[in-house]
Amino acid sequence: MTQAEIKLCSLLLQEHFGEIVEKIGVHLIRTGSQPLRVIAHDTGTSLDQVKKALCVLIQHNLVIYQVHKRGVVEYEAQCSRVLRMLRYPRYIYTAKTLYSDTGELIVEELLLNGKMTMSAVVKKVADRLTETMEDGKTMDYAEVSNTFVRLADTHFVQRCPWVPATENSDPGPLPLAPILVISEKDMYLVPKLSLIGKGKRRRSSDEDAAGEPKAKRPKHNRDNKEPIPDDGIYWQANLDRFHQHFRDQAIVSAVANRMDQIFRSLPVGYNISKQVLDQYLTLLADDPLEFVGKSGDSGGGMYVINLHKALGSLATATLESVVQERFGSRCARIFRLVLQKKHLEQKQVEDFAMIPAKEAKDMLYKMLSGNFISLQEIPKTPDHAPSRTFYLYTVNILSAARMLLHRCYKSIANLIERRQFETKENKRLLEKSQRVEAIIASMQATGAEDAQLQEIEEMITVPERQQLETLKRNVNKLDASEIQVDETIFLLESYIESTMKRQ
Amino acid sequence: MAGNKGRGRAAYTFNIEAVGFGRGDKLPDVALKPPPLFPDTDYKPVPLKAGEGEDYMLALKQELRETMKRMPYYIETPEEKQDIERYSKRYMKVYKEEWIPDWRRLPREMMPRKKCKKAGPKSEKAKDTGKGASLTNTADVLKKIEELEKRGDGEKSDEENEEKEGSKEKSKEGDEEEDDDAAEQEEYDEEEQEEENDYINSYFEDGDDFGADSDDNMDEATY
């Protein structure tokens, strides 16, 4: 794992789970697989804390364990899975677009908790949905269950590996650690449950989560001692399936743009006749983008979507765009030229691009030092004498993509750090504003007059309000940037993965 | 050897023309310091995407961040002492639900070793039956003394007892333990057992003339 990735993982773990989990997680990412005592010793953390941290990490599918011979259990972190935490909002939003609010909340609960039983998810989501409904209305468990089943059928959620049921009644000595199994055919099998019930609304006295000291709270989880019908059957969000969806979306929108360019004058309608469809497909197949290929003529022509090429095109487009925004449009022209011609000499670049030699030189070297372009040496003589060697400029898409990906990780890490810095700088002011809001809320609940509310609001001065506004604007910008950079990360990672698979 | 310039004159080992510089051109200055931390960019960044989806995801992201901090998976670090103890802090503590992992899915060593400060129902029962049956039994008396001494250590016998029980009861006890906030560290049994006593084991070994020796040398200071 590169330093940039480790740094980003550290920031993400710390934001979501606190410093102790972060320390253990990052340590495992750095060192690889380790047993419990070694982790405690190397990190200088107490055994108890390490255990808690590992439980959290395992629950969230970020760490796995393996029993090695000689009876030692080792724990291993999954760095790439940690980086997926950046994408949570996208997963949840996608679920919303496909399966509306119910689907959205199901996926959100699964992501927040790592793994859950179906009955737990259904109950929680029904409660949450009921909160948002009008007074007197409740969400039925059956409806939530239906959405859950649909999510399982389309593979957006899947079963976690489970402890195999032991046949023998005599357990014998307990194993050091359970060996979890998973079978393809059972991965999306929904247990036969008859979940009957409706969501419960929290009563207003329970709503103020911040105010009540611990002792007053009733212990919710002790209340229902009913047996859980699907005990031990856990579900998790299937991230790969979401990725498939994103990839399809990206390709479809790229093609749609292409179609727009070509057919801008034609009216867009949905009742396309067969002939027109044929024309479209032929055009697509001939298109230099090479997304669609024609493979054979059976049934009037079989068209195939070439995924790898599609991803390659998307990655290339990303690179081009970055060059354009960073170095200017003339640089971008040179870049596209070298991409197209594969290998070019210095002189040829100047000629084809129609850019004066000095500027072309300058731009090429800028891109070279940014690792977007590389030099290929072709010796003319066996002694590789520099004066008798061709130096050709070329774009190695795979390595440029890797370079850009690495930069993306660094960028997001910087964005997060800056956001945390901004928040920390204004911590006092933020806390004050939260206190004021809490006071106003409680006063409104007890029916205070407008004049009193005004007085409280004035506790925050006008310049302070401006400061808060600025802070909010900045934090929003930084957050939005994170989300957008993650989109680029997704494209680049998909392309790199697809390329590596073919090798 | 490789860096020698021919007789004091600059001569390149390769054809400078191939790289694109003409002979006799003034080459740019050598950089003597690292590049600036925040270099000026020639081009402004493209504005961020804006739209319904983006706005929604932004709101989601910020909400998730807040929610995560309130979940039981977020393990707080014990804070250092505040400069001023705020009375309001006591009442602003956010209520966190307990989370008990499913121990059946985890390695055995993950379970926190219990310190019997407040003995769970199982160990209490064991003690009770012991008490009723054979108080006069010296073994039991010794056991009682041991228990009193090692208060706070996880006893071997108790642990074995617990491990034999089904996982349901385990998790039930686990709940109570954590409710009682008996989450004490237990690092190495041996060391803790030793440190419990104030007396170093070697002091009162049989046959030592501990008391006798100190009378001889009155020069040594007595503490």
Side-chain angles (χ1 to χ4, degrees):
Chain A
M1 295 284 108
T2 63
Q3 282 299 99
E5 287 169 274
I6 298 179
K7 172 82 183 155
L8 186 49
C9 285
S10 156
L11 288 166
L12 289 170
L13 285 174
Q14 188 229 339
E15 266 204 337
H16 290 213
F17 301 116
E19 284 181 13
I20 300 175
V21 176
E22 182 260 335
K23 185 153 68 158
I24 307 300
V26 168
H27 176 78
L28 279 176
I29 293 175
R30 279 215 171 96
T31 58
S33 193
Q34 276 195 340
L36 183 61
R37 300 236 160 198
V38 179
I39 301 174
H41 177 267
D42 284 356
T43 57
T45 326
S46 76
L47 216 56
D48 194 56
Q49 300 276 47
V50 176
K51 286 181 195 173
K52 278 192 186 153
L54 283 174
C55 283
V56 168
L57 289 166
I58 294 176
Q59 173 75 9
H60 283 81
N61 310 305
L62 303 172
V63 160
I64 56 171
Y65 64 82
Q66 263 184 323
V67 184
H68 284 246
K69 41 189 191 230
R70 308 230 264 132
V72 173
V73 181
E74 285 195 353
Y75 302 90
E76 193 178 323
Q78 322 259 279
C79 176
S80 52
R81 179 59 180 82
V82 177
L83 294 171
R84 289 308 142 255
M85 292 205 279
L86 279 168
R87 218 163 280 165
Y88 282 7
R90 201 170 170 195
Y91 298 134
I92 299 172
Y93 180 64
T94 303
K96 187 189 177 77
T97 56
L98 295 175
Y99 296 99
S100 91
D101 289 349
T102 317
E104 176 195 356
L105 290 187
I106 291 177
V107 172
E108 188 179 320
E109 283 298 320
L110 284 175
L111 287 173
L112 277 176
N113 289 283
K115 9 172 127 64
M116 287 171 88
T117 58
M118 177 174 166
S119 44
V121 174
V122 167
K123 181 174 185 309
K124 189 87 207 295
V125 171
D127 287 347
R128 280 182 71 176
L129 285 170
T130 305
E131 288 288 323
T132 64
M133 292 163 95
E134 306 163 6
D135 275 335
K137 292 202 175 214
T138 53
M139 174 58 88
D140 205 77
Y141 282 9
E143 207 180 309
V144 182
S145 285
N146 282 340
T147 312
F148 191 97
V149 170
R150 284 166 68 201
L151 280 166
D153 284 342
T154 47
H155 297 198
F156 280 103
V157 304
Q158 69 187 37
R159 292 266 307 263
C160 303
W162 55 88
V163 184
T166 42
E167 298 292 316
N168 41 347
S169 50
D170 168 38
L174 282 175
L176 212 56
I179 311 290
L180 301 172
V181 302
I182 187 146
S183 70
E184 274 295 324
K185 68 176 176 69
D186 288 340
M187 209 150 46
Y188 306 101
L189 206 58
V190 179
K192 296 267 179 294
L193 299 174
S194 60
L195 291 167
I196 303 175
K198 294 185 195 298
K200 289 186 188 43
R201 211 180 281 273
R202 274 188 309 186
R203 265 171 249 105
S204 52
S205 59
D206 290 355
E207 254 167 33
D208 186 8
E212 307 208 23
K214 198 168 176 184
K216 269 200 211 170
R217 281 264 163 192
K219 295 198 172 164
H220 304 283
N221 42 1
R222 299 294 155 267
D223 285 348
N224 14 0
K225 297 263 196 215
E226 305 141 16
I228 308 170
D230 58 346
D231 188 32
I233 304 179
Y234 292 96
W235 294 80
Q236 63 186 350
N238 181 1
L239 302 190
D240 285 334
R241 177 65 183 90
F242 280 97
H243 293 166
Q244 247 179 46
H245 180 82
F246 297 156
R247 189 195 59 207
D248 296 345
Q249 260 185 335
I251 294 178
V252 164
S253 66
V255 171
N257 281 340
R258 202 67 173 178
M259 298 303 272
D260 275 347
Q261 281 171 23
I262 299 169
F263 294 106
R264 204 157 289 164
S265 53
L266 292 179
V268 180
Y270 283 100
N271 26 343
I272 317 173
S273 67
K274 187 173 178 300
Q275 279 171 320
V276 184
L277 185 61
D278 239 355
Q279 278 180 1
Y280 277 133
L281 284 169
T282 317
L283 237 94
L284 271 174
D286 289 336
D287 190 291
L289 264 187
E290 289 188 342
F291 277 22
V292 177
K294 190 158 184 193
S295 100
D297 283 312
S298 55
M302 285 241 290
Y303 291 93
V304 148
I305 298 199
N306 190 334
L307 274 178
H308 173 68
K309 289 237 174 90
L311 289 171
S313 295
L314 287 170
T316 310
T318 309
L319 286 166
E320 277 176 29
S321 167
V322 172
V323 169
Q324 171 136 348
E325 297 310 323
R326 223 162 234 284
F327 302 117
S329 43
R330 297 174 97 189
C331 248
R333 196 157 89 219
I334 296 180
F335 185 77
R336 277 193 286 270
L337 188 66
V338 179
L339 248 175
Q340 192 188 1
K341 304 275 187 191
K342 305 271 191 281
H343 296 275
L344 281 178
E345 268 187 319
Q346 169 89 40
K347 191 98 186 35
Q348 289 174 303
V349 171
E350 294 163 19
D351 290 340
F352 282 124
M354 293 178 288
I355 291 178
K358 207 157 173 215
E359 287 176 39
K361 223 185 329 172
D362 188 41
M363 290 178 190
L364 279 167
Y365 282 121
K366 256 201 279 205
M367 287 193 281
L368 189 65
S369 53
N371 287 318
F372 288 96
I373 281 188
S374 42
L375 268 178
Q376 171 79 45
E377 292 176 11
I378 309 213
K380 290 191 224 179
T381 54
D383 65 354
H384 289 248
S387 55
R388 289 184 293 275
T389 310
F390 284 119
Y391 290 97
L392 300 176
Y393 290 100
T394 182
V395 177
N396 182 335
I397 304 184
L398 184 61
S399 68
R402 282 212 170 99
M403 177 279 299
L404 190 58
L405 182 62
H406 185 253
R407 259 178 120 147
C408 285
Y409 291 138
K410 268 190 177 169
S411 300
I412 297 202
N414 286 349
L415 287 166
I416 296 180
E417 285 224 43
R418 181 69 200 201
R419 175 170 47 77
Q420 288 180 343
F421 172 78
E422 293 277 326
T423 311
K424 202 159 158 217
E425 282 281 288
N426 294 284
K427 188 170 156 186
R428 196 197 63 86
L429 186 55
L430 270 171
E431 282 177 354
K432 179 176 174 187
S433 115
Q434 276 170 0
R435 274 203 299 276
V436 166
E437 272 178 38
I439 295 174
I440 291 183
S442 65
M443 281 177 73
Q444 275 177 334
T446 57
E449 298 163 8
D450 278 341
Q452 289 176 307
L453 290 174
Q454 181 111 1
E455 218 180 290
I456 302 293
E457 275 187 20
E458 278 169 13
M459 275 171 68
I460 302 186
T461 66
V462 173
E464 281 181 334
R465 268 188 209 286
Q466 275 177 350
Q467 212 180 324
L468 281 170
E469 273 300 311
T470 313
L471 174 67
K472 191 170 166 74
R473 213 177 34 239
N474 289 346
V475 167
N476 282 353
K477 227 187 227 179
L478 292 165
D479 268 329
S481 306
E482 272 179 59
I483 296 178
Q484 229 178 289
V485 177
D486 183 57
E487 281 182 30
T488 308
I489 287 183
F490 172 71
L491 279 177
L492 294 171
E493 277 180 347
S494 302
Y495 164 69
I496 293 172
E497 195 187 314
S498 167
T499 312
M500 299 312 287
K501 262 198 226 159
R502 290 161 79 90
Q503 288 187 357
Chain B
M1 37 155 226
N4 275 353
K5 299 191 172 133
R7 295 189 188 276
R9 274 178 54 208
Y12 298 107
T13 55
F14 58 96
N15 180 13
I16 191 84
E17 307 249 301
V19 194
F21 295 110
R23 280 176 171 277
D25 266 0
K26 184 172 183 300
L27 296 169
D29 289 329
V30 181
L32 293 166
K33 55 187 180 185
L37 202 54
F38 295 108
D40 288 328
T41 48
D42 297 322
Y43 301 91
K44 281 191 67 110
V46 181
L48 290 168
K49 272 200 256 188
E52 212 185 289
E54 279 73 27
D55 287 341
Y56 194 83
M57 280 198 274
L58 176 64
L60 253 178
K61 184 172 198 283
Q62 294 179 334
E63 263 177 45
L64 278 175
R65 198 158 51 225
E66 290 310 305
T67 312
M68 295 250 190
K69 293 208 160 67
R70 290 198 294 270
M71 301 221 86
Y73 312 111
Y74 190 98
I75 302 182
E76 310 268 357
T77 28
E79 272 182 25
E80 321 97 44
K81 202 114 172 54
Q82 302 278 290
D83 41 5
I84 310 169
E85 283 255 18
R86 294 185 188 271
Y87 180 74
S88 57
K89 275 251 185 277
R90 253 173 75 195
Y91 292 93
M92 287 215 311
K93 279 209 190 112
V94 182
Y95 172 73
K96 265 199 189 176
E97 274 186 28
E98 302 283 1
W99 168 63
I100 314 296
D102 186 343
W103 300 114
R104 298 169 293 182
R105 294 178 63 93
L106 295 170
R108 248 187 334 172
E109 60 185 7
M110 281 286 112
M111 292 210 59
R113 296 272 192 87
K114 268 137 228 155
K115 307 233 160 211
C116 303
K117 237 187 175 184
K118 268 191 186 183
K122 274 294 139 205
S123 4
E124 261 187 25
K125 273 194 207 141
K127 265 196 213 159
D128 277 343
T129 48
K131 220 182 197 173
S134 45
L135 243 182
T136 49
N137 195 336
T138 37
D140 261 0
V141 172
L142 282 174
K143 194 173 173 198
K144 220 137 244 75
I145 298 176
E146 258 191 334
E147 280 180 18
L148 286 172
E149 265 188 350
K150 296 178 196 170
R151 238 182 159 202
D153 280 8
E155 277 186 39
K156 287 265 154 68
S157 52
D158 271 4
E159 281 177 38
E160 277 171 34
N161 227 8
E162 285 154 5
E163 285 183 355
K164 285 200 191 121
E165 303 295 340
S167 52
K168 267 202 201 148
E169 286 167 305
K170 245 189 186 171
S171 51
K172 182 167 156 220
E173 273 188 333
D175 296 348
E176 281 166 10
E177 294 294 315
E178 288 183 50
D179 285 354
D180 293 336
D181 209 6
E184 301 199 47
Q185 286 103 1
E186 184 202 50
E187 289 179 59
Y188 302 98
D189 283 5
E190 297 308 308
E191 284 179 25
E192 291 231 356
Q193 282 179 16
E194 284 178 13
E195 281 175 276
E196 271 296 339
N197 296 326
D198 282 326
Y199 306 107
I200 302 177
N201 284 334
S202 60
Y203 265 11
F204 296 106
E205 264 163 36
D206 297 333
D208 265 358
D209 303 329
F210 183 72
D213 281 346
S214 59
D215 289 342
D216 292 345
N217 255 332
M218 295 312 284
D219 298 344
E220 285 181 330
T222 43
Y223 295 100

